[in-house]
Amino acid sequence: MWLSDAANATVRLFLAPVCLCCRAPLDTPLRSPVCPACWRGITAITPPCCVICGDALSVFDADGRLCARCEAESPPFSRARSAGRYDGPLRALIHALKYRHCRALAAPLAALTVRAGADVLSGADALVPVPLHAWRAFTRGFNQADDLARAMGVPVWRVLRRRRRGPAQVTLSATERHANVRGAFALTRRAAASAPIRRRLARSTVVVVDDVMTTGATIAACCRVLADAGVSDVRALTVARAPTPPHARRPSLHRLEPASRR
């Protein structure tokens, strides 16, 4: 213990490291590049939530169990969950992982996600990380979704590829995001050409993994490719979720009946 304390004291003295999120000085920089207060400050997504996509529901929608989007159109996954809201410390952590190459954050973020997504991971045969286009993977040097998946303790199947390069989703509106990923993903050439791989996919339960779900366009596009390949159960798991604004529940038919009689 004293060696650890001495090492942390030495690092504090000569390097003066600060928290990646709040920039406060770190007491134990060798343990984590993020201070305990910022880890505790992550906002978990708690009930009421949509039972399919995991999006937060307003108190007015809580009895419906489904968000407006899942009521209107069933998504291509059976269920999706996220560890926390995409704001505050969690947003800063994901940005540090993704854009500042702080890859050591993948393991603690994955652990956080595994705890939140235990029901999604239950019975899963494999994780499928959302792929980057080859050029973006080359320029970034890594795929954050792959780093997260490898730290979750479940086999990782890299059976998807991004075949078309487009603008980053973060720069686009919701409608543009869906258009941007339409037809952008496919099975890898090896998976598409291998009968054993296709048979393994056809009887499996897989979980698509990514860092953030915003509109769900990217996750949905990947899930559709896997479903079309015959995967028996496709699920989704992300570190963070950008909740959609609360929607008023659609009035039920029996509430409309009095008006229809007039």
Side-chain angles (χ1 to χ4, degrees):
M1 178 65 73
W2 68 270
L3 283 174
S4 176
D5 291 343
N8 276 297
T10 301
V11 172
R12 287 199 308 269
L13 177 64
F14 289 102
L15 300 179
V18 295
C19 172
L20 286 173
C21 295
C22 67
R23 313 302 294 171
L26 289 171
D27 292 330
T28 55
L30 297 179
R31 182 178 303 170
S32 172
V34 180
C35 71
C38 283
W39 280 116
R40 292 193 299 268
I42 292 174
T43 306
I45 298 177
T46 56
C49 300
C50 175
V51 296
I52 296 180
C53 74
D55 198 2
L57 297 175
S58 72
V59 292
F60 303 104
D61 293 329
D63 61 334
R65 302 188 50 148
L66 292 179
C67 68
R69 281 193 298 197
C70 289
E71 274 192 342
E73 182 179 2
S74 296
F77 46 77
S78 62
R79 71 190 93 154
R81 296 292 181 270
S82 303
R85 291 175 60 100
Y86 187 50
D87 59 16
L90 189 55
R91 181 187 178 97
L93 286 167
I94 291 173
H95 280 212
L97 166 65
K98 198 170 178 177
Y99 303 118
R100 295 167 62 183
H101 291 210
C102 297
R103 298 177 70 179
L105 290 173
L109 287 173
L112 192 74
T113 308
V114 166
R115 289 195 294 272
D119 60 329
V120 172
L121 293 172
S122 178
D125 295 296
L127 308 179
V128 175
V130 171
L132 294 177
H133 185 270
W135 177 250
R136 184 159 290 153
F138 173 76
T139 55
R140 183 173 295 172
F142 70 103
N143 177 1
Q144 71 281 353
D146 197 283
D147 279 11
L148 291 164
R150 285 190 290 111
M152 289 184 181
V154 178
V156 177
W157 293 352
R158 298 173 183 87
V159 295
L160 292 179
R161 63 185 174 95
R162 181 153 188 163
R163 58 186 178 184
R164 188 182 72 242
R165 184 184 173 202
Q169 290 285 82
V170 71
T171 66
L172 305 176
S173 68
T175 301
E176 291 169 335
R177 287 176 188 236
H178 285 276
N180 188 43
V181 295
R182 192 173 297 122
F185 298 97
L187 290 180
T188 62
R189 291 179 176 86
R190 179 170 177 265
S194 170
I197 292 177
R198 295 294 295 266
R199 284 196 296 269
R200 183 175 62 174
L201 284 171
R203 58 175 182 266
S204 66
T205 295
V206 302
V207 179
V208 176
V209 174
D210 205 1
D211 54 346
V212 181
M213 181 189 289
T214 306
T215 63
T218 299
I219 289 282
C222 290
C223 290
R224 287 190 187 97
V225 174
L226 293 169
D228 289 344
V231 173
S232 60
D233 187 7
V234 187
R235 307 170 186 174
L237 188 60
T238 64
V239 178
R241 175 71 187 251
T244 55
H247 298 279
R249 259 183 69 78
R250 297 176 180 177
S252 62
L253 291 178
H254 74 270
R255 290 175 183 166
L256 290 174
E257 284 175 357
S260 65
R261 294 194 188 106
R262 294 173 188 170

